[in-house]
Amino acid sequence: MEFTTKIPIPTTENPIRYDSKIVSLGSCFAVNIAEKLDYFKFQNRCNPFGILFHPMAIHEIIRRSLSGQAFTDEDIVNHNDLWHSLDVHSELSHPDKETILNHLNAALDDTRESLQNATHLILTYGTAWVYRYKASQKIVANCHKIPQSQFEKELLSVETIAESIAQTIQLVRGCNPNCRIVVTISPVRHIKDGFIENQRSKAHLIAAIHSFGREAFEYFPSYEIMMDELRDYRFYASDMLHPNPTAIDYIWERFSETHIHTTAAPVMLEIDSIQKALRHKPFQAKSLAHQDFLVKLNSRIAELQAKFPQINF
């Protein structure tokens, strides 16, 4: 896809390679990028606690993981016959109290180890709107469909967001000084907050992020690419809110150009070819031609894994 006007994006000094270890945390678009990283068989760990939408939720999970503060009975609530943690996504909710606590604390260990060993951390911020749980006066990551009357909705100020991001960076640098941090804003529009409210939210995120110097982290303009380079509804999914596959492919292409090392390109091409071959459905699965095809495909996979043992199809 070619555009006459492109947003200039500086090429990173430390691009992702096939020996890199990546951690992706944040909103829905973090999952889109992580799926691309997974498809091309990079070493990537995405959202052990599920989707996290706002800066304070991401900070709290990183803080808790690196401090070793385990989840206890006081950190979970019961609603509709499920136990939930207000600090994580509903995908971790469970009907058994001990099970959810075990899962949560295992995810803490996983996240801590991943952050300590990461070469790159990608943080995707989705919104500046948050909900405060009245019972504890704590800002939560997810309301889990608990009645809205139990929460107060707030818009984080630019200053509060900047302070949260600064604390997040400090924590990561404290455990892993060499980790490269990439920050981006999700292009997904949170229209449930309202059209004007969504713009206010994104504006607060943008202002807070750009209050930092370039030495703090690298900024990748996912939101700006969607709004300016892909400013047409043909690039949206049927809900008219999320980027469609064409838009995701394009933003991934821009990310690859600036944040993935050129030496990875031929490996990515080979992996893409193998992935497509693996999805091939033969007309005659027992034919000699198909058996020969499988032998050659397995040989290509073995050759690739000999060079990159971490790759697994």
Side-chain angles (χ1 to χ4, degrees), residues 25 55 58 121-125 165 168-169 173 180-186 205-206 208-210 212 216-224 255 259:
L25 298 174
I58 295 172
L121 170 63
I122 303 173
L123 301 175
T124 305
Y125 297 120
I165 294 174
T168 299
I169 294 169
R173 297 274 187 246
R180 304 295 297 183
I181 300 175
V182 180
V183 172
T184 189
I185 295 173
S186 171
L205 292 173
I206 292 168
I209 287 169
H210 288 286
F212 290 86
F217 48 75
E218 297 170 10
Y219 181 69
F220 178 73
S222 301
Y223 175 76
E224 292 82 353
F255 182 83
H259 285 75

Side-chain angles (χ1 to χ4, degrees), residues 19 35 53 103 131 153 160 170 206 222 272 280 305:
D19 59 352
E35 287 174 348
F53 294 99
H103 288 171
Y131 288 87
K153 186 176 181 179
T160 299
Q170 185 178 12
I206 292 168
S222 301
D272 184 42
H280 172 69
Q305 289 175 328

Side-chain angles (χ1 to χ4, degrees), residues 44 67-68 92 244:
N44 177 56
S67 68
L92 276 80
N244 65 15

Side-chain angles (χ1 to χ4, degrees), residues 151-172:
F151 299 89
E152 293 177 339
K153 186 176 181 179
E154 302 176 16
L155 180 65
L156 296 176
S157 68
V158 173
E159 293 75 19
T160 299
I161 295 169
E163 177 62 24
S164 177
I165 294 174
Q167 291 176 2
T168 299
I169 294 169
Q170 185 178 12
L171 284 172
V172 174

